[in-house]
Amino acid sequence: MVLTIKTDSPYQVVIENGVLDRVGKIAAKNKRPGAKAMVVSETNVFPLYGERLKTSLAAAGFEVFAFVFPAGEPSKQISTVCEIYRALAENGFTRSDFIVTLGGGVTGDMGGFAAATFLRGISFLQVPTTLLAQVDASVGGKTGVDLPFGKNLVGAFHQPMAVAADPQTLTTLSERYFRDGMGEVIKYACISDRDLFQKLESGTALENLEELTGRCVACKKTFVEEDTRDTGSRMILNFGHTFGHALEKLHGFQGISHGEAVGIGMILAAQAGERMGVTAPGTTEKLRGVLEKYRLPTEDGFSHEEIIRATALDKKTMGDTLNFILLEEIGKSRICPIPLEKLPSLLP
Ligand code: MG
């Protein structure tokens, strides 16, 4: 399946089993033979897929280099980006050359940020290997790193020249990482794909991972094309994320995955929506059923009061009003601006 994301410079998202071995050919549509390719990857993923990717790039005539950093969120910081810059500079990378990110969200965000900033911007190609990165993080052009005082505080919008998502790489994911991605999959179903939600309910959604990923990317594509720089309708993609981010923060970003936090955040948002009369009655229970089916948590030890206090500090808060994403029903969502002082009444 191939989807074209029509941003300023349109790019293709290729979702196919085995596409890992065709990344060189995909890159050759944008880059000349002889160009340099820096594979940016981490210590868990590179040993599994690094050689295949390098072989594919070399076969297409590229001069291939690799930068491999220690796996994990703690690596997602400026100092690692500086090491990527050093590898690029020492090997004489110019604007004709490019980066290929191979891995999950950390790799794509950070390698993309290095690409966005080195020489004021070079091309990059995303090869996401986790469900979360394939359905969500690799598309949309958000790149960045964490700072000691907050996640994703520094970054840039920089669209990749292509995305090559190979569902076969998901077979090596641990169950926990797979569930992490399912949190975002369920989110996409809730905000705009009722049919996918039904497939999730019936348990047939995982039978075809190409289709599953393609549906999520198709959903993200509509919002990214409408609102590339995330100032309007793209906010819909934050369904479940307002309270989800608050929970991640309360947990110190440990012991709860992004997908788990978003799952609980979606339940809280659905409850609030039902209470406000925006969300159809019974939606929360349907959502709870699907989260449980994919073994995602639906509640957490922190009190509503604590969650609301942490929410009020969220970076997506603008002034005194919070742009809260609510479902009207499964598959239909909207942005509801809510004054901050009304937050406590949403989660009594
Ligand atoms: Mg997310």
Side-chain angles (χ1 to χ4, degrees):
M1 180 183 311
V2 180
L3 293 157
T4 302
I5 313 288
K6 297 187 193 92
T7 52
D8 291 346
S9 47
Y11 58 96
Q12 289 192 327
V13 181
V14 184
I15 304 159
E16 276 167 25
N17 288 321
V19 74
L20 187 63
D21 298 310
R22 296 193 294 279
V23 172
K25 280 197 183 124
I26 292 169
K29 289 182 184 165
N30 294 274
K31 292 288 163 184
R32 296 221 175 98
K36 292 172 181 169
M38 177 67 72
V39 176
V40 172
S41 188
E42 38 94 321
T43 46
N44 287 340
V45 174
F46 191 77
L48 294 171
Y49 305 115
E51 282 311 314
R52 275 173 67 191
L53 179 61
K54 282 169 71 182
T55 302
S56 164
L57 289 162
F62 299 114
E63 193 184 347
V64 188
F65 302 82
F67 176 88
V68 181
F69 63 88
E73 186 80 24
S75 285
K76 191 177 160 183
Q77 52 174 302
I78 293 277
S79 61
T80 316
V81 176
C82 287
E83 289 171 36
I84 301 173
Y85 294 150
R86 177 197 291 273
L88 295 167
E90 283 180 350
N91 291 297
F93 272 63
T94 69
R95 284 208 193 115
S96 316
D97 305 317
F98 61 104
I99 285 175
V100 182
T101 59
L102 171 71
V106 168
T107 306
D109 283 8
M110 186 165 64
F113 182 66
T117 45
F118 186 72
L119 302 178
R120 299 192 180 85
I122 64 172
S123 306
F124 81 119
L125 192 155
Q126 294 253 35
V127 185
T129 58
T130 63
L131 184 61
L132 184 68
Q134 292 193 359
V135 299
D136 191 44
S138 64
V139 176
K142 282 190 182 177
T143 72
V145 291
D146 302 333
L147 293 180
F149 24 90
K151 276 188 69 162
N152 295 320
L153 282 188
V154 171
F157 284 100
H158 189 55
Q159 304 291 342
M161 64 182 186
V163 180
D166 188 341
Q168 282 172 351
T169 61
L170 305 180
T171 56
T172 51
L173 272 189
S174 69
E175 202 219 324
R176 181 151 202 254
Y177 271 105
F178 196 83
R179 274 191 279 135
D180 188 22
M182 285 308 292
E184 295 284 357
V185 169
I186 294 166
K187 176 199 80 179
Y188 282 113
C190 284
I191 59 175
S192 74
D193 194 340
R194 190 188 169 83
D195 188 49
L196 175 58
F197 194 88
Q198 279 160 354
K199 286 196 155 110
L200 289 165
E201 277 180 321
S202 69
T204 55
L206 297 184
E207 284 168 7
N208 185 340
L209 290 177
E210 279 182 20
E211 191 201 326
L212 179 80
T213 303
R215 277 171 173 266
C216 295
V217 172
C219 170
K220 182 152 192 183
K221 167 184 150 73
T222 45
F223 291 106
V224 167
E225 287 176 350
E226 259 175 45
D227 178 22
T228 308
R229 297 185 77 88
D230 198 10
T231 54
S233 62
R234 186 166 170 174
M235 277 177 214
I236 297 269
L237 299 173
N238 284 335
F239 175 58
H241 282 60
T242 305
F243 294 139
H245 281 150
L247 276 170
E248 285 183 278
K249 216 182 300 175
L250 288 167
H251 281 270
F253 297 95
Q254 280 172 359
I256 190 167
S257 73
H258 181 67
E260 287 169 344
V262 167
I264 298 166
M266 289 192 289
I267 289 282
L268 294 172
Q271 283 172 340
E274 286 194 40
R275 197 169 297 118
M276 291 163 71
V278 174
T279 304
T283 303
T284 310
E285 282 323 296
K286 279 189 202 160
L287 179 55
R288 192 190 306 279
V290 166
L291 289 169
E292 282 170 356
K293 192 171 179 92
Y294 297 93
R295 299 215 251 146
L296 283 158
T298 55
E299 54 185 17
D300 185 82
F302 284 98
S303 70
H304 287 178
E305 206 189 327
E306 287 168 301
I307 292 170
I308 281 168
R309 215 178 303 131
T311 302
L313 299 169
D314 192 272
K315 67 169 174 170
K316 289 192 174 68
T317 302
M318 286 180 224
D320 298 329
T321 310
L322 182 79
N323 284 309
F324 200 57
I325 313 306
L326 291 177
L327 298 182
E328 291 174 9
E329 57 185 40
I330 297 293
K332 256 179 117 179
S333 45
R334 66 153 124 138
I335 303 170
C336 287
I338 289 174
L340 270 191
E341 75 262 17
K342 286 224 171 127
L343 259 184
S345 66
L346 295 184
L347 296 181

